[in-house]
C-alpha cells in the first residue's frame, strides 16, 4: 500500500495514552493487553505507527504498568499512578517529548487505527494542530467539535459539559491529534480541572491554540471503525469482528476465495499463494503459509505451518508446527503435531496423529494410526491402526521405516525399531526387532479351526 507522503520534516513522536484500568472488562490484565486477533490492542496501535518511521513511542501506563512494560520493552514508559484525565496524562509525559518534534497522541484502546490515517493527521498538523474527527449518528459520550461561523474549529466541548445546542453536534473528537511538542507541553501545563468531571481535559488545548491564532485542521479516518474504542467485552468482540473482516476482505481482493468472510479467523500472519480456497470456520494462528491452489475444507485449525502447492486439508483437521509439501492430502479429522513433515504427494487420512514424524514422498498413513518420532521413507504404506510405541514411560525412541515398506493393519511397532527398504509386516503384528530388506515379519498366532463347533446355548 502507498502511504501519503509525509511533508512534515520534524521527527514524529507517538504518545500513547494507556493508563485506564478498563474496569468494565472485568479482567486482571490491563485493558491494553487484551487481545484483538491474538495480539494485544497496544500492539496494534504500535503496528500502525511502525510504517511512519517515528521516534520510540512513549506509553503512559497506569494500572498494571509493569505488565505492559514487559510486553513492549521497545517503548518508553511513563507511569501515571492516578488517572486525572487525558490532559494530565500528556502533562506527565511532557519531559519526554523531544523539542523540535511533532507529537501524535493516540489511545492504547483504539486498536484499529491505520497508518494511512495517522499520516493524514500528521500532515494536517503542519504549522498548526491536526485533529482527527468523525461524524457519528449517535455522538453521545464523545467530545463535540465546535466550529465558528466561518467553519473553523474553535473548541472541543465534552459531552458532560455541553449545552443542548452543542449536544446536537454530530462531529466528534476521536482523541487522536498531532501538533508541535513544545506547544503541546506548554498548553497542557496550563490546563485546569474546573469542569463537570473534575478532570484535566486534553481537549481544552484546542481553544488555547485558537486563541494563539494557531489553525486547527481536521481530517477523517478511512472508516469509523478505525477510531472505535473497546471499553467492555462486547465492544472488544465487535472490534475483533471488524478487524477479521478487514483481513478477510484483503485476502479476497488478492484473489483468495472465502466461502464466508464472516467465518474465518486469522490470529497472526497468513500468507497465501494464488487460487487458494478456504471454506468456513478456518482458524489460522501464528505464521502460516499456504502455497498456490491450496484448499482448506471446513473447521480446520492451522497453527505455525506451511502447506505446499496444490495440497488439500480436509475438514476438521488440526495442524500445528508442521511442514507440508505439494500435492499432499490431510484429513478429514487428522492431527499433525509439532515436527510433522509430509513430503510431496504423501497422504495422511482420518483419525491419524503424527508428531516429530517425517513421511516420505508418496507414502500413506490413511486410517486410525499414531506415528511419533518416526522417519518414514518413500512410497511406503502404513496400514490402518498402526501404532509407533515410541514412549517407554520414561524415554522416547525412534522408529525408522525405509522406502517401499508395507505395514499391515493393527500393527504395533515397539521403538527403537527399524524396518528396512522393501520389508513387509503382516497385519496384527507386534514388531520388537529390526527387519532386514525385502523380508516379511509376522508375529500373530496361527489361526486354528475347530469343525462342528457348537455355540453355548442360553440356560
Ligand atoms: C476522550 C476525549 C473525548 C473523545 C473521546 C474519544 C478528553 C477529555 N475527552 O474522552 O473528547 O470524544 O476520548 O474516545 O480527552 N487515559 C489515561 N489517563 C487518564 C485518562 C485517560 O491514560 O488520566 C487514557 C485512557 O486509558 C484511554 C484514553 O486516555 O485510552 C481516553 O480516555 P477516556 O477516559 O476513554 O476518555 P473519554 O472520557 O472517553
Ligand atoms: Mg473513552
Amino acid at each position: 500500500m502507498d502511504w501519503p507522503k509525509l511533508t512534515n520534516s520534524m521527527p514524529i513522536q507517538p504518545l500513547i495514552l494507556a493508563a485506564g484500568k478498563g474496569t468494565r472488562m472485568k479482567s486482571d490484565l490491563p485493558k491494553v493487553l487484551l487481545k484483538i486477533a491474538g495480539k494485544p490492542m497496544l500492539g496494534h496501535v504500535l503496528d500502525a505507527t511502525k510504517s511512519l518511521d517515528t521516534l520510540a513511542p512513549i506509553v503512559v501506563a497506569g494500572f498494571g504498568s509493569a505488565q505492559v512494560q514487559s510486553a513492549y520493552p521497545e517503548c518508553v514508559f511513563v507511569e501515571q499512578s492516578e488517572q486525572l484525565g487525558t490532559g494530565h496524562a500528556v502533562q506527565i509525559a511532557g519531559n519526554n517529548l523531544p523539542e523540535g518534534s511533532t507529537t501524535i497522541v493516540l489511545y492504547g484502546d483504539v486498536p484499529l487505527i491505520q497508518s494511512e490515517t495517522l499520516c493524514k493527521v500528521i500532515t494536517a498538523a503542519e504549522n498548526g494542530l491536526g485533529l482527527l474527527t468523525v461524524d457519528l449518528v449517535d455522538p453521545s459520550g464523545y467530545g463535540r467539535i465546535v466550529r465558528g461561523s466561518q467553519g473553523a474549529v474553535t473548541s472541543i466541548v465534552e459531552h458532560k459539559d455541553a449545552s443542548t445546542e452543542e449536544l446536537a453536534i454530530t462531529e466528534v473528537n476521536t482523541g487522536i491529534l498531532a501538533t508541535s511538542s513544545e506547544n503541546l507541553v506548554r498548553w497542557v501545563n496550563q490546563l485546569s480541572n474546573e469542569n463537570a468531571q473534575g478532570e484535566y481535559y486534553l481537549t481544552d488545548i484546542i481553544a488555547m491554540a485558537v486563541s494563539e491564532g494557531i489553525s486547527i485542521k481536521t481530517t477523517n479516518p478511512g472508516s469509523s471503525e478505525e477510531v472505535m474504542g473497546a471499553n467492555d467485552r462486547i465492544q472488544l468482540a465487535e472490534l475483533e469482528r471488524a478487524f477479521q473482516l478487514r483481513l478477510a476482505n484483503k485476502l479476497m481482493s488478492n484473489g483468495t476465495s472465502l466461502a464466508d468472510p464472516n467465518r474465518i479467523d486469522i490470529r497472526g500472519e497468513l500468507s497465501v499463494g494464488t487460487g487458494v480456497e478456504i471454506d468456513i470456520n478456518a482458524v489460522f494462528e501464528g505464521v502460516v503459509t499456504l502455497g498456490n491452489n491450496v484448499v482448506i475444507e471446513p473447521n480446520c485449525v492451522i497453527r505455525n505451518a506451511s502447506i505446499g502447492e496444490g495440497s488439500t486439508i480436509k475438514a476438521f483437521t488440526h495442524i500445528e508446527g508442521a511442514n507440508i509439501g505439494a500435492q499432499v492430502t490431510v484429513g478429514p479429522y487428522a492431527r499433525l503435531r509439532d515436527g510433522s513433515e509430509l513430503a510431496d504427494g504423501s497422504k495422511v487420512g482420518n483419525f491419524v496423529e503424527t508428531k516429530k514424524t517425517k513421511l516420505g514422498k508418496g507414502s500413506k498413513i490413511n486410517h486410525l494410526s499414531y506415528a511419533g518420532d518416526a522417519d518414514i521413507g518413500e512410497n511406503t504404506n502404513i496400514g490402518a491402526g498402526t501404532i509407533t510405541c515410541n514412549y517407554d514411560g520414561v524415554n522416547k525412541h525412534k522408529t525408522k521405516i525405509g522406502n517401499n515398506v508395507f505395514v499391515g493393519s493393527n500393527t504395533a511397532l515397539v521403538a527403537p525399531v527399524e524396518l528396512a527398504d522393501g520389508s513387509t509386516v503382516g497385519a496384527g503384528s507386534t514388531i520388537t526387532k529390526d527387519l532386514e530388506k525385502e523380508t516379511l515379519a509376522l508375529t500373530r498366532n496361527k489361526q486354528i479351526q475347530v469343525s462342528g463347533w457348537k455355540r453355548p446355548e442360553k440356560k
Side-chain angles (χ1 to χ4, degrees):
M1 193 182 285
D2 289 329
W3 308 119
K5 231 184 159 48
L6 281 180
T7 51
N8 198 313
S9 53
M10 289 182 178
I12 308 298
Q13 176 61 70
L15 174 58
I16 304 173
L17 308 190
K21 179 164 189 231
T23 314
R24 280 177 281 164
M25 291 291 183
K26 299 187 172 36
S27 169
D28 292 338
L29 277 180
K31 179 161 86 163
V32 292
L33 291 187
L34 295 178
K35 290 173 181 171
I36 299 285
K39 179 189 280 191
M41 289 198 276
L42 180 56
H44 287 277
V45 178
L46 292 170
D47 282 353
T49 67
K50 267 178 195 150
S51 61
L52 303 181
D53 191 23
T54 68
L55 301 168
I58 299 171
V59 177
V60 180
F63 175 79
S65 64
Q67 265 170 296
V68 183
Q69 212 162 330
S70 65
Y72 293 97
E74 69 272 28
C75 296
V76 175
F77 280 84
V78 175
E79 179 134 359
Q80 188 194 24
S81 40
E82 242 189 320
Q83 279 94 61
L84 304 179
T86 50
H88 178 252
V90 175
Q91 211 178 82
I92 61 158
N95 288 340
N96 296 76
L97 303 176
E99 271 182 36
S101 66
T102 296
T103 292
I104 181 159
V105 178
L106 300 162
Y107 289 174
D109 58 355
V110 178
L112 268 48
I113 192 73
Q114 300 269 276
S115 310
E116 218 174 353
T117 301
L118 300 186
C119 279
K120 291 202 286 184
V121 179
I122 292 163
T123 305
E126 211 178 351
N127 304 317
L129 189 148
L131 185 63
L132 188 67
T133 72
V134 68
D135 230 53
L136 295 181
V137 180
D138 176 13
S140 52
Y142 289 90
R144 308 297 206 280
I145 307 296
V146 182
R147 291 179 183 268
S149 51
Q150 305 298 314
V153 175
T154 56
S155 65
I156 297 176
V157 58
E158 289 305 297
H159 182 101
K160 287 189 179 153
D161 300 279
S163 64
T164 319
E165 215 174 42
E166 288 162 339
L167 286 176
I169 299 171
T170 54
E171 186 187 8
V172 306
N173 173 32
T174 63
I176 294 171
L177 60 83
T179 193
S180 108
S181 302
E182 285 96 317
N183 281 344
L184 181 64
V185 172
R186 197 163 46 78
W187 293 326
V188 292
N189 284 331
Q190 295 169 35
L191 291 173
S192 104
N193 64 352
E194 283 162 24
N195 51 51
Q197 302 183 81
E199 281 182 15
Y200 296 92
Y201 291 162
L202 178 59
T203 44
D204 285 349
I205 69 167
I206 301 300
M208 291 179 190
V210 171
S211 75
E212 291 180 16
I214 284 175
S215 78
I216 314 290
K217 270 195 208 142
T218 58
T219 181
N220 307 121
S223 72
S224 61
E225 83 192 18
E226 275 190 55
V227 295
M228 273 159 46
N231 295 307
D232 56 31
R233 300 281 180 175
I234 295 168
Q235 289 172 347
L236 191 67
E238 282 167 3
L239 292 192
E240 176 78 35
R241 288 331 310 159
F243 185 77
Q244 291 298 341
L245 194 57
R246 188 193 274 177
L247 298 180
N249 288 339
K250 210 190 228 171
L251 276 176
M252 290 189 296
S253 49
N254 288 333
T256 298
S257 137
L258 300 184
D260 182 352
N262 290 307
R263 282 183 290 172
I264 177 169
D265 283 87
I266 302 165
R267 304 172 189 144
E269 287 161 43
L270 173 66
S271 1
V272 297
T274 57
V276 169
E277 288 175 31
I278 302 174
D279 213 318
I280 57 164
N281 299 333
V283 178
F284 298 96
E285 295 188 338
V287 180
V288 176
T289 307
L290 307 181
N292 296 341
N293 302 314
V294 162
V295 175
I296 309 291
E297 290 191 357
N299 302 301
C300 291
V301 178
I302 302 175
R303 188 177 296 140
N304 296 319
S306 93
I307 299 173
E309 190 158 339
S311 291
T312 296
I313 310 302
K314 296 195 169 180
F316 294 96
T317 290
H318 284 227
I319 297 175
E320 175 162 12
N323 219 326
I324 297 170
Q327 311 296 337
V328 172
T329 307
V330 183
Y333 298 98
R335 181 174 183 215
L336 307 186
R337 297 166 61 196
D338 258 350
S340 296
E341 291 189 27
L342 276 50
D344 296 351
S346 60
K347 227 178 140 191
V348 168
N350 41 231
F351 306 106
V352 171
E353 175 183 347
T354 64
K355 193 191 176 199
K356 283 194 185 158
T357 284
K358 284 187 187 156
L359 187 62
K361 279 188 189 167
S363 289
K364 295 172 186 163
I365 314 179
N366 270 337
H367 330 268
L368 301 152
S369 291
Y370 171 62
D373 298 291
D375 205 339
I376 302 168
E378 298 179 3
N379 298 315
T380 280
N381 186 76
I382 309 292
T386 297
I387 307 292
T388 55
C389 310
N390 60 330
Y391 186 52
D392 60 15
V394 185
N395 295 304
K396 297 269 176 79
H397 303 280
K398 274 203 89 113
T399 301
K400 285 190 185 163
I401 302 176
N403 301 328
N404 302 305
V405 171
F406 183 91
V407 178
S409 299
N410 196 27
T411 292
L413 302 170
V414 183
V417 72
E418 186 168 346
L419 316 185
D421 292 350
S423 58
T424 303
V425 178
S429 294
T430 297
I431 301 298
T432 52
K433 291 186 198 131
D434 292 352
L435 256 75
E436 284 173 20
K437 279 188 181 177
E438 319 287 342
T439 54
L440 165 72
L442 195 60
T443 70
R444 63 179 184 241
N445 290 336
K446 274 205 165 149
Q447 184 169 328
I448 59 166
Q449 195 161 309
V450 179
S451 12
W453 171 255
K454 292 271 182 293
R455 289 190 209 147
E457 280 170 13
K458 199 162 174 92
K459 285 177 187 159

